[in-house]
């Protein structure tokens, strides 16, 4: 296995129990803002009914208090097994497929306005291998956050009971683990 000595059984069970589906995000810089602040594939109600599959097109700069430099950024996010095949494409093929979907929603304006893009394919990142954890029994999040042998700490949104699946959950859990690591070190 990856760990020597092996992880405790409850940690292995928790890892197996937490669903982390494939997913990716592509940020497109566009000449003009031709899109609304958010568009969700199959509508908001469809997303609520099928929360394990998410496809959204949105303005990641919306609501940010940033200096206006005229930059238009459109994010395309797809998460879930329904989009797994797309996640297997190389970055350029993936960007082209996403741009085709944007064109479908916005009458070809994606391709006409595309300047450049940045692909974040979490499924192909060797230390991520998926998007984010989906809600599960909180006992699994708790087990994932427990220290192993007083030395090995896990941290991330998957260890957060209150803020799983969210960046702020990952940040708070990273801080928790850092404080715990420092406290363990100072005990010596």
């Amino acid at each position: 296995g990856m760990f020597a000595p092996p992880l405790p059984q409850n940690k292995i069970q928790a890892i197996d129990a937490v669903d982390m589906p494939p997913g990716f995000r592509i940020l497109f810089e566009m000449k003009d803002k031709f899109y609304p602040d958010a568009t969700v594939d199959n509508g908001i109600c469809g997303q609520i009914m099928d929360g394990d599959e998410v496809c959204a097109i949105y303005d990641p700069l919306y609501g940010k208090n940033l200096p206006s430099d005229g930059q238009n950024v459109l994010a395309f996010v797809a998460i879930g097994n329904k989009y797994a095949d797309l996640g297997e494409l190389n970055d350029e093929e993936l960007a082209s497929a996403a741009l085709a979907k944007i064109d479908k929603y916005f009458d070809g304006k994606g391709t006409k306005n595309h300047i450049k893009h940045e692909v974040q394919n979490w499924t192909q990142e060797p230390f991520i291998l998926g998007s984010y954890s989906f809600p599960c029994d909180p006992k699994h999040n708790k087990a994932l956050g427990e220290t192993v042998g007083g030395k090995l700490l896990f941290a991330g949104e998957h260890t957060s009971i209150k803020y799983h699946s969210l960046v702020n959950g990952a940040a708070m859990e990273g801080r928790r683990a850092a404080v715990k690591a420092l406290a363990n070190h100072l005990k010596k």
Side-chain angles (χ1 to χ4, degrees), residues 53-186:
E53 307 290 336
V54 175
C55 183
I57 302 167
Y58 64 95
D59 180 349
L61 302 179
Y62 177 75
K64 305 278 194 282
N65 190 13
L66 301 171
S68 178
D69 62 0
Q71 188 177 34
N72 300 301
V73 179
L74 181 62
F76 182 95
V77 175
I79 295 166
N81 292 322
K82 180 177 176 181
Y83 308 102
D85 289 347
L86 287 175
E88 297 301 319
L89 299 174
N90 69 42
D91 285 358
E92 292 310 307
E93 292 168 333
L94 181 56
S96 293
L99 200 54
K101 191 154 186 132
I102 291 167
D103 282 344
K104 182 179 138 196
Y105 276 104
F106 302 109
D107 300 319
K109 292 179 184 172
T111 298
K112 290 176 189 167
N113 284 279
H114 177 243
I115 297 172
K116 63 182 178 181
H117 58 268
E118 181 68 34
V119 175
Q120 300 169 325
N121 189 344
W122 305 306
T123 306
Q124 292 186 8
E125 290 289 332
F127 297 108
I128 301 174
L129 301 176
S131 55
Y132 51 80
S133 65
F134 274 29
C136 62
D137 186 326
K139 74 179 182 186
H140 300 305
N141 302 98
K142 185 175 186 288
L144 288 170
E146 293 171 354
T147 305
V148 177
K151 295 180 181 180
L152 179 62
L153 294 132
F154 288 77
E157 52 80 24
H158 61 286
T159 62
S160 176
I161 293 170
K162 190 172 181 182
Y163 299 107
H164 55 81
S165 306
L166 301 173
V167 170
N168 44 337
M172 287 188 282
E173 287 296 299
R175 183 176 191 276
R176 174 200 53 83
V179 167
K180 188 157 190 137
L182 182 58
N184 288 346
H185 177 73
L186 293 176

Side-chain angles (χ1 to χ4, degrees), residues 18-31:
V18 175
D19 181 27
M20 196 163 119
F24 57 87
R25 176 173 69 173
I26 306 167
L27 300 171
F28 292 95
E29 184 176 351
M30 299 292 187
K31 292 176 200 160

Side-chain angles (χ1 to χ4, degrees), residues 37-50:
D37 295 327
T39 301
V40 181
D41 192 23
N42 79 348
I44 297 293
C45 289
Q47 293 294 274
I48 291 168
M49 299 299 288
D50 188 12

